[in-house]
Amino acid sequence: MAIIDCLMIKSEIATSISHQLQVKVLANYLDCDTTEIIINRTGKPTLSSHPNIHFSVSHTNNYFCICISTIPIGCDIESTDRPISTRTLLRGQQNQSKELSNQSKLITWTGWEAHCKAIGRGLFFPIQPDVFSLVQSFVWQSLYCSVTPLTKNSDLKIYQIQVDQNSEPTIAHKQQWSPVL
C-alpha cells in the first residue's frame, strides 16, 4: 500500500514564496539539503534528484498544500467560499441544466483538478465522472481539499506543519508535524 503524506500549511507568506517553500518542505521530508532538491518544471513538476518520489502542490489565499508519495498523485485546494459556476463544471457536456450546491461544485472542481494534475495533462473538459472513485476529499480549516492517487491501494495521511513567518521560512521537523485527520 502506498502512503500519501499531505502537508497543510497556513502562512501569510505561503503563496509569495511557494517555490522556495516547496524546496524546503521536500528537503525536510526527504532528510536532505535544499541544494539536493532539483525540480523539473517542464510539464508536470518532478523531482529529477529523487525520481521515485512524486509530489503535487496547490495554494490559495494564505494556504499551501503539498502531497508527497511514491506513486503519481495530484492535489487541489480551494477556499470554501469560492464561487464555481455550473457552466464551467459542465463545459463540453450536452445537458448543462443541472443545479448543484456550491459545496458540490467545489468538491467536483478540486477532485477534477487533482485528477488532471495526477495524470500530468493539465485541465481538460468535459469532466469525466468515472475518475472520482480514486479522489479522497476532506475539509481543513476553510478549505475543500482533494487528493487523487493513480492507484486504489493508498493511505492518505494529513499533517499541519508550522512555517516561521519570515522571508527565509524554516519548517518544523517531521517528528513535530501534527496529524490533522
Side-chain angles (χ1 to χ4, degrees), residues 84-91 96-100 105:
I84 303 280
S85 77
T86 303
R87 187 172 156 215
T88 298
L89 288 180
L90 300 177
R91 186 182 319 166
Q96 295 199 4
S97 62
K98 293 180 185 174
E99 258 323 298
L100 302 168
K105 292 177 197 176

Side-chain angles (χ1 to χ4, degrees), residues 66-106:
I66 183 166
C67 293
I68 307 167
S69 185
T70 55
I71 59 172
I73 52 170
C75 70
D76 188 45
I77 59 174
E78 293 293 346
S79 176
T80 55
D81 61 0
R82 178 185 175 195
I84 303 280
S85 77
T86 303
R87 187 172 156 215
T88 298
L89 288 180
L90 300 177
R91 186 182 319 166
Q93 294 182 11
Q94 297 293 336
N95 181 1
Q96 295 199 4
S97 62
K98 293 180 185 174
E99 258 323 298
L100 302 168
S101 69
N102 202 54
Q103 177 181 355
S104 294
K105 292 177 197 176
L106 281 164

Side-chain angles (χ1 to χ4, degrees), residues 115-171:
H115 169 77
C116 291
K117 287 179 177 182
I119 63 173
R121 186 171 164 193
L123 280 174
F124 63 96
F125 295 90
I127 291 174
Q128 310 296 312
D130 58 324
V131 304
F132 288 97
S133 65
L134 295 176
V135 175
Q136 299 177 51
S137 297
F138 59 96
V139 175
W140 179 72
Q141 296 199 8
S142 60
L143 303 174
Y144 283 109
C145 313
S146 291
V147 177
T148 303
L150 292 185
T151 180
K152 289 183 182 180
N153 212 4
S154 63
D155 184 20
L156 178 63
K157 297 183 184 296
I158 304 159
Y159 300 94
Q160 177 176 331
I161 63 174
Q162 299 299 315
V163 176
D164 288 343
Q165 303 293 320
N166 51 33
S167 60
E168 272 296 317
T170 55
I171 314 267

Side-chain angles (χ1 to χ4, degrees), residues 30-99:
L30 296 167
D31 288 323
C32 67
D33 191 78
T34 55
T35 58
E36 295 177 53
I37 300 296
I38 301 167
I39 300 175
N40 174 7
R41 298 195 187 277
T42 305
K44 179 178 171 59
T46 58
L47 280 171
S48 48
S49 58
H50 297 78
N52 295 326
I53 300 296
H54 300 268
F55 75 101
S56 182
V57 174
S58 183
H59 53 80
T60 186
N61 302 327
N62 293 325
Y63 296 94
F64 182 84
C65 171
I66 183 166
C67 293
I68 307 167
S69 185
T70 55
I71 59 172
I73 52 170
C75 70
D76 188 45
I77 59 174
E78 293 293 346
S79 176
T80 55
D81 61 0
R82 178 185 175 195
I84 303 280
S85 77
T86 303
R87 187 172 156 215
T88 298
L89 288 180
L90 300 177
R91 186 182 319 166
Q93 294 182 11
Q94 297 293 336
N95 181 1
Q96 295 199 4
S97 62
K98 293 180 185 174
E99 258 323 298

